[in-house]
Amino acid sequence: MTELHHLSLAELGRGLAERRFSSVELTRHFLERIERLDPRLNAFITVTADQALAAAQAADRALAEGSAGPLTGLPLVHKDIFCTDGVLTTCASRMLSNFVSPYDATVVARLAAAGMVMLGKTNMDEFAMGSSNETSWYGPVRNPWDLGKVPGGSSGGSAAAVAARLAPAATGTDTGGSIRQPAALTALTGLKPTYGRVSRYGLIAFASSLDQAGPLTRSAYDAALLLGAMAGFDPRDSTSVDAPVPDYLATLEAPLAGLKIGLPKELFEDLEEANARLVRDALGVYEKLGAQLIEVSLPHLPLSVPTYYVVAPAECSSNLSRFDGVRFGYRCEDPVDLLDLYERSRGEGFGAEVKRRIMTGTYVLSAGYYDAYYLKAQRVRRLIANDFAQAFTQVDVLMGPTVPGPAFELGAKLDDPVTMYLSDIYTIGVNLAGLPAISIPCGFLDGLPIGLQIIGPHFAEERLLNVAHGYQRETDWHTRTPPEFA
Amino acid sequence: MNLIRRDVENIAHLARLRITEAELPDYVDRLSKIVTFVEQLNTVDTADVEPMAHPLADQVQRMRPDEPVEMDDREKYQRNAPKVEAGLYLVPKVIE
């Protein structure tokens, strides 16, 4: 029998249904790998072994009784931004390093109700602010493809765990690329759904007009399987959209002949030749499947990074004002008065990047600067969104690179915040426009993976998964395993 | 635009963040870089553009019947509090 960690989520589901192995065996297998291999990666903040085994036993009973669903007994890991009842939920911050959540996020509750087994909570950039997983209070995560390189961020622990086969799937969140960029840098499939598609109840807020949760998996098929259980209306999230959830698996195999693929020229203008060649090879696969390539333009897209670095910090400065050292979270020692309690609890509880973003946000929202920065950015945001809407009148999906280059060295971009911010140049526009997008592996540069990004109109997840799956039927990039973790 | 030390001290105060003397020059430098970077937004004319606050058009805030849906779970929530007494959150004295 192939070792269990080499099987996809879908294959593991078949194995459980056919009783070739039990959920307890599966869970033990992954827990053993985490214990043995995670010290090289630092992908986990918390491993929930006892809870996982109890959940696996319950899953095995459901499988024996015939009451199991398609996800029953399958293990997964959650980014440590999702609240988990009775389990440490840190957001990779000292501020929440003592926070045991009193409730489950809706995503966590839904996947548990579907019978999935949580193995643990994964490392991330502090409060999801970062593109390299180096801002974590719990230390950086390493890329399974090269331990000297970053895994991307902010969902870097989720990406590293799945890429190293320490878990078959993970949840992540994406505010400016935090699912797609780490997926690209670790050879995974990462889907950022439409704004409002997946509930954010119990997801610790970063930038509320941008945040969205989604799956990190080894294939588009697995992403379809997981998204079906994650998505859907939730009255507890005021931004949740009340629209039916389609059967994402039903349309996966639809033929791609006649598909109109838009290639935004702004996504290719500054792209390095080796990276561009891999993206063009992927486009060639689509042409063979009968798709049509059409050049389009998103003229305001080059302004997406500066727009984001006004809007996201503004929202974060407001959201993170709740951390005051009074009701939960870190409190400084011996505060002399209330102001001292606030200032030192926040000064000591937050890391440098989080403080920079809170301060940037405070500045752009402050009297005298609000119109010049914040309203200005919101206006440019509309121009960017309009560009996408215009493009989708001509084409079904847009394609381009996910990342400007493969994973970089740990520490390489820490000295200049703007250089780090620009590593999300291809992903941020999608969040500003609230669109769904998926990154799939499309090749390797010097042994390191990069991704193809496929962007769709609002609520086109079905189409994105279908288009991604069509490529993965023709290619095997998504099946590659980092040699050290085979 | 380059920020000066006093700007950063003022922002830190507004944000209720204690920044130490030693950290201050680094914040002045990096925040200046960020502010300068975002100023390229001024290269585009947005005079007639409506600011966009929500990525989806036509979304409205939902109403629901005014009925209790959450149970009182104070004890559970206060387990995460740094200091509580008799069901109250304790902070340093604010009134002399």
Side-chain angles (χ1 to χ4, degrees), chain A residues 85 98-100 102 195 209 233 236-238 240-241 303 305-307 310 325-329 331 335 337-344 346-347 350 352 355-356 358-360 362-363 373 375-383 385 414-416 418 421 432-434 458, chain B residues 1 3 7-9 11-19 23 26-27 29-31 33-35 37-57 59-62 69-70 73 76-78 80-83 89-94:
Chain A
D85 195 358
N98 57 2
F99 180 71
V100 177
Y195 184 81
S209 78
F233 177 61
R236 291 174 136 167
D237 171 1
S238 68
S240 173
V241 174
L303 289 171
V305 183
T307 301
V310 173
V326 175
R327 287 153 303 149
F328 60 95
R331 177 184 285 197
D337 57 23
L338 196 57
L339 184 65
D340 186 45
L341 183 151
Y342 291 151
E343 290 192 341
R344 274 203 296 129
R346 291 165 60 77
F350 293 132
K355 282 187 274 199
R356 276 196 289 278
I358 291 174
M359 287 163 74
T360 306
T362 304
Y363 179 71
Y373 291 101
L375 279 185
K376 179 76 188 182
Q378 284 193 316
R379 292 181 211 273
V380 179
R381 180 176 186 180
R382 184 173 301 281
L383 294 175
L414 283 180
D415 290 337
D416 182 0
V418 172
Y421 296 172
L432 292 170
H458 292 133
Chain B
M1 190 172 92
L3 301 177
D7 297 324
V8 174
E9 282 170 346
I11 298 166
H13 173 69
L14 290 173
R16 299 293 183 269
L17 289 169
R18 179 74 47 87
I19 303 297
E23 295 170 323
D26 189 56
Y27 281 95
D29 173 50
R30 294 191 194 214
L31 289 175
K33 280 186 179 142
I34 295 167
V35 171
F37 173 69
V38 303
E39 274 167 358
Q40 50 179 302
L41 293 175
N42 295 324
T43 58
V44 54
D45 177 19
T46 55
D48 302 321
V49 185
E50 185 73 13
M52 179 174 167
H54 192 293
L56 300 178
Q59 293 295 306
V60 289
Q61 289 294 302
R62 286 182 300 276
V69 289
E70 300 285 344
D73 228 343
K76 189 176 185 189
Y77 300 150
Q78 288 197 331
N80 277 302
K83 259 189 184 161
Y89 295 94
L90 294 193
V91 295
K93 204 184 220 178
V94 287

Side-chain angles (χ1 to χ4, degrees), chain A residues 401-438:
Chain A
T402 308
V403 284
F408 44 90
E409 297 281 335
L410 284 152
K413 298 189 181 183
L414 283 180
D415 290 337
D416 182 0
V418 172
T419 308
M420 183 70 90
Y421 296 172
L422 286 169
S423 46
D424 292 331
I425 189 162
Y426 298 127
T427 49
I428 274 176
V430 162
N431 300 75
L432 292 170
L435 301 168
I438 192 167

